[in-house]
Amino acid sequence: MRPAAGTLAGALMGCVALLVATFTFYGINLLLKGSFWWGQVYFWWARSLALGAPLGAVGATIRRPGLGGVLAALVVPVGAALNVIVLPPPADSLMAKPVLLTVWGAATTAAVLIVARAIRARRSR
């Protein structure tokens, strides 16, 4: 598949994946709790359309060689780290510290492995 077609397919699949995930979440909520909030569904569907395309396109570029692929691969670990900075778990929660340690540890490990893989790939050329 050509790079442009792959990026376009990734963008489309990013939107579809988030739309299906949202509908599935609220559909299961309807089955288990008997409630369905169309207002919330519309809220998340709008964000799925807005964010699904760029995230899907970024995901489709991860396997590209060079700096572009490395930066695309770093989106998830950097996003996870930023998430706990911008929206940290409640400080009074017993799970706050374990969640922070897990997210920071996983994000750091992923980033180190991504950069190490890129360096190894560059040296082998």
Side-chain angles (χ1 to χ4, degrees), residues 61-70 121 125:
T61 63
I62 288 175
R63 292 192 175 229
R64 289 190 185 167
L67 183 61
V70 173
R125 285 188 225 160

Side-chain angles (χ1 to χ4, degrees), residues 66 117-125:
R117 180 176 177 225
I119 291 169
R120 209 171 38 247
R122 187 173 176 100
R123 285 183 183 163
S124 67
R125 285 188 225 160

Side-chain angles (χ1 to χ4, degrees), residues 5 19 29 31-32 39 41 45 48 52 54 58-59 65-66 71 75-76 82 86 89 103 107-108 121:
L19 290 168
N29 196 43
L31 291 173
L32 296 178
V41 173
W45 275 353
S48 297
V58 166
L71 292 175
V75 166
V76 170
L82 284 174
V86 175
V103 171
T108 303

Side-chain angles (χ1 to χ4, degrees), residues 1 14 112:
M1 188 179 287
V112 167

Side-chain angles (χ1 to χ4, degrees), residues 6-20 48 52-53 55-57 60:
T7 303
L8 184 61
L12 179 63
M13 289 299 105
C15 284
V16 170
L18 289 176
L19 290 168
V20 169
S48 297
L55 289 174

